[in-house]
């Protein structure tokens, strides 16, 4: 009986890299990577050659050089003798500030407008449609400039608040809306973790300064620190105007000699935010515990007071421990002293970004709600749920899986659109690192690389956080 053996396997041949479907895709990817690598190598080599031809090198030493320019809106201490790196950090914080405020307000406006546009009330739905179509069809830059012009031209000046017939401050004489910006109370601490200064008598003025007509005392030309403590003064010389609030009693910021000057520091706010986050985690734990009890016994214990206490009690304890108080703005010589000064540029940029992005979010929310079958609403009504409860507990939770992915794109767009701040003089990272610093140092390549890296990292962080939230709220199949 004859036996037939299997034919010997043929060895690997180079032609298989192209004609064999098992290797073809891998071959294409390797060739593409090699071509991209060669292209990048040529670009880098060409850039280095051109820099050498211009007598330049590639380094980031300019970040340690003195900046020499002022920044009008600051969250941390800064003056023009500090470095370009510090100026870039101030710009980054300003960008983060307007991005966080804008995303929060745009989300609120968008959700409300999206729901109201589906209202059966003809007037409400049409007014919402006018808002959506009006803002999303006009360039963002025009809205920024228009709101800035309205703030500057239509609001009263600080001197209009003088006298009994002058303009009035809002919310118990604590908020002033002027053509220079909005002044709001500032939270300061008498036992700040960053330390408090003690009011000391001012040194005697030089003889030349005491001569009438040559008085140089005061703070001429100083930039206003927007989020400083109670001793923060405007750039105007209140002393020269005869006001006793600045130094008329010989102490800084109107405090008596030897008195602790309330202020605030980064560590104070870090502690408060940490306590708030811990309180939120504790409240969420109580909610999950109540859900487990409800699943086991059918009865849900009352947890709302405990959840509120878990957030508020530690916060109140920390505020009392730090000696928190409100520093209200007060009208000084030519401007308001104390409080927090939100400049018109910040207000205009914040409102324009929020209203513009909120119009797009409204359409996203409307589309997400319409994606839910009408049978869900009818089933909820059949169970006796009210329209508001149906929307909050049935429709919106299901619509979130449709809403969140495009919502991430809107947050990213808002963050990147904040670079239009230069149109109204708001000093964000585009104006500091990507503007004045590059013009002064001539390091356009390094500056633009750092600027692009910042926006890339920030966008990836926002996208990552929103993706985590999307995973936590999406429907989970059992």
């Amino acid at each position: 009986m004859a036996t037939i053996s299997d034919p010997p396997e043929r060895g690997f041949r180079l032609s298989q890299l192209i004609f064999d479907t098992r290797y073809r895709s891998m071959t294409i990817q390797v060739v593409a990577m090699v071509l991209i690598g060669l292209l990048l190598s040529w670009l880098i080599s060409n850039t280095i050659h051109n820099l050498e031809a211009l007598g330049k090198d590639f380094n980031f030493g300019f970040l340690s050089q003195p900046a020499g320019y002022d920044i009008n809106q600051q969250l941390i201490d800064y003056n023009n003798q500090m470095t370009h790196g510090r100026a870039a950090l101030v710009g980054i914080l300003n960008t983060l500030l307007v991005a966080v405020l804008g995303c929060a307000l745009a989300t609120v406006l968008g959700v409300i407008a999206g729901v109201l546009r589906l209202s059966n009330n003809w007037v409400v739905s049409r007014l919402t449609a006018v808002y959506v179509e009006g803002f999303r069809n006009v360039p963002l830059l025009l809205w920024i400039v228009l709101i800035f012009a309205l703030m500057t031209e239509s609001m009263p000046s600080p001197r209009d608040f003088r006298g009994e017939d002058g303009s009035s401050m809002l919310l118990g004489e604590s908020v002033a809306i002027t053509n220079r910006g909005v002044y709001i109370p500032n939270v300061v601490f008498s036992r700040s973790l960053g330390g408090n200064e003690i009011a000391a008598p001012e040194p005697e003025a030089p003889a030349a300064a005491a001569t009438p007509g040559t008085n140089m005392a005061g703070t001429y030309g100083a930039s206003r620190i927007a989020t400083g403590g109670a001793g923060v003064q405007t750039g105007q010389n209140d002393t020269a105007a005869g006001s006793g609030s600045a130094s008329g009693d010989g102490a800084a910021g109107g405090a008596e000699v030897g008195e602790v000057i309330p202020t605030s520091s980064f560590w104070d706010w870090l502690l408060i935010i940490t306590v708030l986050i811990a309180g939120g985690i504790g409240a969420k734990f109580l909610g999950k515990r109540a859900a487990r009890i409800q699943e086991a016994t059918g009865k849900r214990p009352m947890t709302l007071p405990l959840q509120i206490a878990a957030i508020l009690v530690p916060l109140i304890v920390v505020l009392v421990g730090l000696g928190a108080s409100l520093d209200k703005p007060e009208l000084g010589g030519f401007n308001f002293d104390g409080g927090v000064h939100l400049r018109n540029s910040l207000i205009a940029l914040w409102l324009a970004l929020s209203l513009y992005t909120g119009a797009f979010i409204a359409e996203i929310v409307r589309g997400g709600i319409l994606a839910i079958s009408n049978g869900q609403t009818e089933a909820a009504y059949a169970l006796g749920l009210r329209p508001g409860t149906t929307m909050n507990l049935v429709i919106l939770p299901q619509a979130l899986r449709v809403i969140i992915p495009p919502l991430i794109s809107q947050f990213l767009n808002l963050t990147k659109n904040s670079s239009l701040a230069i149109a109204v003089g708001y000093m964000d990272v585009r104006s500091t690192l990507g503007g004045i610093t590059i013009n002064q140092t001539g390091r356009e390549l390094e500056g633009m690389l750092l600027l692009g890296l910042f926006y890339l990292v920030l966008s990836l962080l926002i996208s990552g956080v929103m993706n985590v939230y999307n995973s936590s709220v999406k429907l989970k199949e059992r």
Side-chain angles (χ1 to χ4, degrees):
M1 181 177 179
T3 58
I4 302 175
S5 59
D6 296 333
E9 295 184 356
R10 304 180 62 179
F12 177 78
R13 292 166 296 162
L14 289 178
S15 59
Q16 289 181 274
L17 294 176
I18 300 176
F19 298 107
D20 193 329
T21 56
R22 294 176 298 174
Y23 305 109
R24 184 184 300 162
S25 62
M26 187 182 302
T27 303
I28 295 174
Q29 293 179 49
V30 170
V31 171
M33 289 183 60
V34 171
L35 291 177
I36 293 174
L38 291 174
L39 177 62
L40 291 177
S41 175
W42 177 80
L43 287 175
I44 294 174
S45 174
N46 193 43
T47 302
I48 294 174
H49 176 75
N50 289 336
L51 287 176
E52 290 177 349
L54 293 172
K56 292 183 177 180
D57 56 355
F58 184 80
N59 67 72
F60 296 94
F62 68 96
L63 292 175
S64 60
Q65 298 174 2
Y69 61 89
D70 293 321
I71 298 177
N72 51 22
Q73 189 85 47
Q74 308 161 15
L75 292 177
I76 58 176
D77 290 337
Y78 171 82
N79 62 60
N80 55 19
Q81 298 303 312
M82 294 185 177
T83 63
H84 283 290
R86 184 77 173 186
L89 178 59
V90 174
I92 287 173
L93 292 177
N94 286 345
T95 297
L96 294 178
L97 173 66
V98 76
V100 171
L101 294 176
C103 288
L105 183 57
T107 303
V108 174
L109 292 175
V111 171
I112 294 175
V115 174
L116 291 181
R117 198 169 182 191
L118 296 173
S119 172
N120 294 325
N121 188 308
W122 188 87
V123 176
V124 172
S125 63
R126 293 302 182 275
L127 286 177
T128 311
V130 169
Y131 156 66
V132 171
E133 299 302 334
F135 272 90
R136 72 173 183 170
N137 291 310
V138 175
L140 173 60
L141 181 60
L142 294 183
W143 286 117
I144 295 175
V145 175
L146 176 61
I147 295 176
F148 182 78
L150 288 176
M151 290 286 298
T152 304
E153 301 296 336
S154 62
M155 296 295 117
S157 63
R159 65 171 179 268
D160 294 332
F161 287 81
R162 296 190 182 281
E164 296 181 355
D165 298 332
S167 301
S168 301
M169 298 177 67
L170 306 176
L171 302 177
E173 301 294 319
S174 60
V175 176
I177 301 177
T178 73
N179 60 354
R180 298 181 183 179
V182 178
Y183 297 84
I184 61 175
N186 185 23
V187 180
V188 293
F189 309 98
S190 59
R191 292 182 286 275
S192 171
L193 297 179
N196 294 94
E197 295 183 356
I198 305 297
E202 286 192 350
E204 295 183 359
T211 303
T214 59
N215 182 14
M216 299 299 292
T219 54
Y220 290 103
S223 296
R224 181 187 180 88
I225 299 175
T227 55
V232 173
Q233 303 172 18
T234 67
Q236 310 297 333
N237 184 10
D238 295 344
T239 305
S243 172
S245 62
S247 58
D249 54 5
E256 298 293 338
V257 175
E259 184 179 346
V260 174
I261 301 176
T263 186
S264 62
S265 68
F266 167 79
W267 300 110
D268 301 323
W269 292 108
L270 180 62
L271 176 62
I272 291 173
I273 293 173
T274 303
V275 169
L276 280 176
I277 294 175
I281 294 174
K284 190 174 183 180
F285 172 78
L286 292 173
K288 289 185 175 180
R289 177 176 174 273
R292 288 197 300 270
I293 294 175
Q294 184 180 16
E295 292 179 358
T297 64
K299 294 183 179 179
R300 185 179 182 87
M302 179 67 74
T303 58
L304 183 59
L306 292 177
Q307 289 178 306
I308 295 176
I311 297 175
L312 293 184
V313 171
L315 177 63
I316 293 173
V317 170
V318 170
L319 291 177
V320 172
L322 293 175
S325 62
L326 284 180
D327 172 31
K328 295 182 180 180
E330 296 181 358
L331 188 59
F334 298 103
N335 209 339
F336 284 90
D337 283 330
V340 176
H341 179 197
L342 304 177
R343 292 180 177 272
N344 284 340
S345 54
L346 171 61
I347 299 295
L349 183 65
W350 176 35
L351 292 180
L353 285 173
S354 302
L355 292 169
Y356 181 79
T357 309
F360 289 91
I361 294 178
E363 288 300 276
I364 293 172
V365 171
R366 187 171 71 95
I369 293 175
L370 291 177
I372 306 303
S373 170
N374 194 40
Q376 299 278 336
T377 304
E378 295 174 351
Y381 289 166
L383 292 174
L385 297 181
R386 294 177 178 276
T389 307
T390 301
M391 180 62 70
N392 292 329
L393 300 182
V394 179
I395 304 302
L396 280 181
Q398 297 183 78
L400 282 178
R401 59 178 176 165
V402 182
I403 293 173
I404 291 179
L407 188 63
I408 297 174
S409 298
Q410 293 304 320
F411 286 169
L412 297 180
N413 288 338
L414 186 147
T415 303
K416 290 177 285 189
N417 286 338
S418 66
S419 59
L420 292 173
I422 194 172
V424 288
Y426 181 70
M427 300 291 282
D428 68 335
V429 66
R430 168 64 184 85
S431 301
T432 56
L433 177 61
I436 301 177
T437 293
I438 287 179
N439 290 335
Q440 288 189 354
T441 62
R443 296 288 180 178
E444 64 280 354
L445 181 60
E446 294 91 337
M448 284 301 168
L449 285 176
L450 289 176
L451 192 61
L453 179 64
F454 163 71
Y455 280 113
L456 175 63
V457 171
L458 181 59
S459 298
L460 291 177
L461 283 176
I462 294 174
S463 180
V465 171
M466 291 302 296
N467 282 327
V468 169
Y469 178 69
N470 187 31
S471 300
S472 66
V473 300
K474 71 178 181 181
L475 293 179
K476 297 177 176 60
E477 298 180 357
R478 298 181 178 177

